[in-house]
mmCIF file with all atom_site columns, all heavy atoms in Angstrom:
data_model
loop_
_atom_site.group_PDB
_atom_site.id
_atom_site.type_symbol
_atom_site.label_atom_id
_atom_site.label_alt_id
_atom_site.label_comp_id
_atom_site.label_asym_id
_atom_site.label_entity_id
_atom_site.label_seq_id
_atom_site.pdbx_PDB_ins_code
_atom_site.Cartn_x
_atom_site.Cartn_y
_atom_site.Cartn_z
_atom_site.occupancy
_atom_site.B_iso_or_equiv
_atom_site.pdbx_formal_charge
_atom_site.auth_seq_id
_atom_site.auth_comp_id
_atom_site.auth_asym_id
_atom_site.auth_atom_id
_atom_site.pdbx_PDB_model_num
ATOM 1  N N   . THR A 1 6   ? -15.028 -48.717 1.480   1.00 42.00 ? 199 THR A N   1
ATOM 2  C CA  . THR A 1 6   ? -14.071 -48.112 0.546   1.00 42.00 ? 199 THR A CA  1
ATOM 3  C C   . THR A 1 6   ? -14.452 -46.664 0.198   1.00 42.00 ? 199 THR A C   1
ATOM 4  O O   . THR A 1 6   ? -13.611 -45.762 0.150   1.00 42.00 ? 199 THR A O   1
ATOM 5  C CB  . THR A 1 6   ? -13.982 -48.901 -0.736  1.00 42.00 ? 199 THR A CB  1
ATOM 6  O OG1 . THR A 1 6   ? -13.539 -50.276 -0.401  1.00 42.00 ? 199 THR A OG1 1
ATOM 7  C CG2 . THR A 1 6   ? -12.928 -48.321 -1.707  1.00 42.00 ? 199 THR A CG2 1
ATOM 8  N N   . SER A 1 50  ? -17.200 -42.891 10.787  1.00 44.00 ? 243 SER A N   1
ATOM 9  C CA  . SER A 1 50  ? -18.013 -43.221 12.028  1.00 44.00 ? 243 SER A CA  1
ATOM 10 C C   . SER A 1 50  ? -18.172 -44.682 12.153  1.00 44.00 ? 243 SER A C   1
ATOM 11 O O   . SER A 1 50  ? -18.186 -45.431 11.153  1.00 44.00 ? 243 SER A O   1
ATOM 12 C CB  . SER A 1 50  ? -19.362 -42.483 11.973  1.00 44.00 ? 243 SER A CB  1
ATOM 13 O OG  . SER A 1 50  ? -20.055 -42.869 10.844  1.00 44.00 ? 243 SER A OG  1
ATOM 14 N N   . PRO A 1 148 ? 18.902  17.896  0.029   1.00 95.00 ? 341 PRO A N   1
ATOM 15 C CA  . PRO A 1 148 ? 20.325  17.862  0.014   1.00 95.00 ? 341 PRO A CA  1
ATOM 16 C C   . PRO A 1 148 ? 20.930  19.198  -0.398  1.00 95.00 ? 341 PRO A C   1
ATOM 17 O O   . PRO A 1 148 ? 20.201  20.171  -0.545  1.00 95.00 ? 341 PRO A O   1
ATOM 18 C CB  . PRO A 1 148 ? 20.608  16.795  -1.031  1.00 95.00 ? 341 PRO A CB  1
ATOM 19 C CG  . PRO A 1 148 ? 19.507  16.955  -2.008  1.00 95.00 ? 341 PRO A CG  1
ATOM 20 C CD  . PRO A 1 148 ? 18.257  17.361  -1.193  1.00 95.00 ? 341 PRO A CD  1
ATOM 21 N N   . PRO A 1 171 ? 15.149  23.882  -26.412 1.00 97.00 ? 364 PRO A N   1
ATOM 22 C CA  . PRO A 1 171 ? 14.300  23.518  -25.304 1.00 97.00 ? 364 PRO A CA  1
ATOM 23 C C   . PRO A 1 171 ? 13.517  22.255  -25.598 1.00 97.00 ? 364 PRO A C   1
ATOM 24 O O   . PRO A 1 171 ? 12.920  22.086  -26.693 1.00 97.00 ? 364 PRO A O   1
ATOM 25 C CB  . PRO A 1 171 ? 13.382  24.728  -25.245 1.00 97.00 ? 364 PRO A CB  1
ATOM 26 C CG  . PRO A 1 171 ? 14.165  25.889  -25.754 1.00 97.00 ? 364 PRO A CG  1
ATOM 27 C CD  . PRO A 1 171 ? 14.929  25.293  -26.933 1.00 97.00 ? 364 PRO A CD  1
ATOM 28 N N   . TRP A 1 221 ? 3.889   25.190  -2.088  1.00 97.00 ? 414 TRP A N   1
ATOM 29 C CA  . TRP A 1 221 ? 2.682   24.410  -2.462  1.00 97.00 ? 414 TRP A CA  1
ATOM 30 C C   . TRP A 1 221 ? 1.421   25.176  -2.205  1.00 97.00 ? 414 TRP A C   1
ATOM 31 O O   . TRP A 1 221 ? 1.316   25.951  -1.248  1.00 97.00 ? 414 TRP A O   1
ATOM 32 C CB  . TRP A 1 221 ? 2.672   23.128  -1.583  1.00 97.00 ? 414 TRP A CB  1
ATOM 33 C CG  . TRP A 1 221 ? 3.826   22.202  -1.847  1.00 97.00 ? 414 TRP A CG  1
ATOM 34 C CD1 . TRP A 1 221 ? 4.964   22.024  -1.161  1.00 97.00 ? 414 TRP A CD1 1
ATOM 35 C CD2 . TRP A 1 221 ? 3.868   21.269  -2.951  1.00 97.00 ? 414 TRP A CD2 1
ATOM 36 N NE1 . TRP A 1 221 ? 5.731   21.102  -1.728  1.00 97.00 ? 414 TRP A NE1 1
ATOM 37 C CE2 . TRP A 1 221 ? 5.077   20.589  -2.788  1.00 97.00 ? 414 TRP A CE2 1
ATOM 38 C CE3 . TRP A 1 221 ? 3.027   20.919  -4.034  1.00 97.00 ? 414 TRP A CE3 1
ATOM 39 C CZ2 . TRP A 1 221 ? 5.476   19.612  -3.715  1.00 97.00 ? 414 TRP A CZ2 1
ATOM 40 C CZ3 . TRP A 1 221 ? 3.412   19.938  -4.911  1.00 97.00 ? 414 TRP A CZ3 1
ATOM 41 C CH2 . TRP A 1 221 ? 4.642   19.287  -4.757  1.00 97.00 ? 414 TRP A CH2 1
ATOM 42 N N   . GLY A 1 266 ? -11.341 -6.212  12.902  1.00 93.00 ? 459 GLY A N   1
ATOM 43 C CA  . GLY A 1 266 ? -12.500 -5.489  13.538  1.00 93.00 ? 459 GLY A CA  1
ATOM 44 C C   . GLY A 1 266 ? -12.154 -4.750  14.776  1.00 93.00 ? 459 GLY A C   1
ATOM 45 O O   . GLY A 1 266 ? -12.638 -3.658  14.978  1.00 93.00 ? 459 GLY A O   1
ATOM 46 N N   . SER A 1 285 ? -4.413  -2.601  -0.229  1.00 90.00 ? 478 SER A N   1
ATOM 47 C CA  . SER A 1 285 ? -3.842  -3.904  -0.379  1.00 90.00 ? 478 SER A CA  1
ATOM 48 C C   . SER A 1 285 ? -3.760  -4.721  0.955   1.00 90.00 ? 478 SER A C   1
ATOM 49 O O   . SER A 1 285 ? -3.045  -5.708  1.017   1.00 90.00 ? 478 SER A O   1
ATOM 50 C CB  . SER A 1 285 ? -2.394  -3.731  -0.931  1.00 90.00 ? 478 SER A CB  1
ATOM 51 O OG  . SER A 1 285 ? -1.610  -2.976  -0.036  1.00 90.00 ? 478 SER A OG  1
#
Side-chain angles (χ1 to χ4, degrees):
T199 302
S243 59
W414 295 99
S478 60

